[in-house]
Amino acid sequence: MIKKNPPPGTSDIFSDEMNDWYDLENSAKYIFSLYGYGEIRTPVFEYTEVFKKGLGDETEVVKKEMYSFEDNGGRNFTLRPEGTAGVMRAMLGTDVMNGNEKRVYYIGPMFRGERPAAGRKRQFHQIGIENIGKKSPELDAENIAMLVDYLKEIGITGSEILINTRGNKEDRIPAEKALKNYFEKYINEMCEDCKHRLNTNIWRILDCKVEGCKKIVENSPDVVSYFSQETQDYFAKVCKTLDEFGINYKVEPRLVRGLDYYVHTVFELTHSALGGQNAIAGGGRYELYLGQKKKPVIGVGFAVGMERLLMVREALEVKSKIEDKPFVYIVSMGEVAKLANIKLAQELRCHNIATLTEYENKSMKAQMRAANRLNANHVVIRGDLEIEKNVVVYKNMETGEQEEVSQEELINILK
Ligand code: HAM
């Protein structure tokens, strides 16, 4: 038997919720276009390799959370767990590989097989942006500034910006050694995942959520101090540019982010209105090695979680800027009137007036109930008698007043 609920961790989104979603989407289009970004739409599924190579084999997302499947032709695909890798795949072979810049944004569903919880879904929606092909600390700061502008546009105040540097691959070698020396001493007291991470991806220990591990992490070496001067200067410039922009942020030396493609700047935005899953956005600078050649696709970007933004907006009581268009409900009495009213509905729509009417033979009372249930702003009543008199009865649902008018007068009132 088919259940009424969608699979765990997914949701049906009904039309009465959509104005809030449109608001997030329209605001993104508006703010991002001020920074020269245009939309890109890539497939919802990709060859599994795109994510394995792009995000890193040892990331939690790749190891535990991907929805992968074999199609009838034996090809291995994965529903995208995030947007960056697919967009970078699309960039292979374009002129961004020669240092030209591309600015793109995307909106759509992502899929991760995580344990569902408040703010954590298996199908969730992201709005993401990628600035591809260029490298500069000021550009990284511009990215964060655009995110701040976006949050302001959608009425979200009170978020906290955490930033850090992940250095580059060479920088990390001495830092990794220092981490290993430190964590080896405590590894027996740490969780099973951390025991595994010690040899596979030691950085992930830094954001382990297990209480016992968190205590040990608190006293771990300051990894950034092991990074090269060049990397530290790069990060200082990101911070200086943010200062120039007047953006408040907190440097969080243990922020590593869950995806392996990050280099240099990383950032996360959190909001106290959310519980355990308090990240509303995350991003940073990256290098993705996807192509045949050893040349990575480089860029900087971020993604916001739409469900989480909506949760914050609800907590802050932010209303959507988009409102439903007023609409008319036409009530018919009698066969002749019914056909005439179906034609009237078509005519009103030609005048850009949203109109509904009843097609089944229902009583006047039932039709008025339907108009109320649908929150019609105006009701037009026309029976065979009104047809003979060449009038309609117009009822304003807000005031309750009603009057007999001609069809021309009706159109003028509704317009
Ligand atoms: P991420 O931090 O994995 O980054 O995800 C970005 C945002 O998506 C999170 O801050 C959160 O709001 C939302 N999100 C993630 N997982 C879930 C979930 N299971 N349920 C609900 N919301 C979720 C990325 O995905 C990177 N691709 C961002 C990026 C773009 N970095 C560079 N460019």
Side-chain angles (χ1 to χ4, degrees), residues 163-231:
I163 74 166
N164 191 24
T165 175
R166 291 285 286 114
N168 58 33
K169 298 226 161 63
E170 294 81 59
D171 285 331
R172 288 185 207 154
I173 299 166
E176 263 171 32
K177 258 195 202 145
L179 287 179
K180 195 145 191 199
N181 284 342
Y182 173 79
F183 285 121
E184 264 172 354
K185 284 187 240 156
Y186 303 98
I187 201 66
N188 290 336
E189 300 159 44
M190 301 186 85
C191 74
E192 285 311 307
D193 279 341
C194 282
K195 285 190 178 113
H196 180 73
R197 289 170 186 146
L198 184 71
N199 295 314
T200 54
N201 193 348
I202 198 160
W203 297 90
R204 303 293 311 154
I205 296 182
L206 296 183
D207 65 5
C208 181
K209 302 285 178 288
V210 175
E211 277 310 315
C213 299
K214 269 164 83 177
K215 288 230 164 61
I216 297 168
V217 167
E218 267 171 29
N219 296 315
S220 65
D222 170 15
V223 282
V224 177
S225 66
Y226 290 86
F227 291 169
S228 68
Q229 194 55 48
E230 209 183 324
T231 292

Side-chain angles (χ1 to χ4, degrees), residues 244-264:
E244 291 289 328
F245 288 160
I247 292 173
N248 291 325
Y249 57 90
K250 185 174 152 200
V251 176
E252 179 55 71
R254 298 204 172 82
L255 178 71
V256 290
R257 309 254 316 121
L259 307 161
D260 279 357
Y261 49 56
Y262 290 111
V263 289
H264 291 287

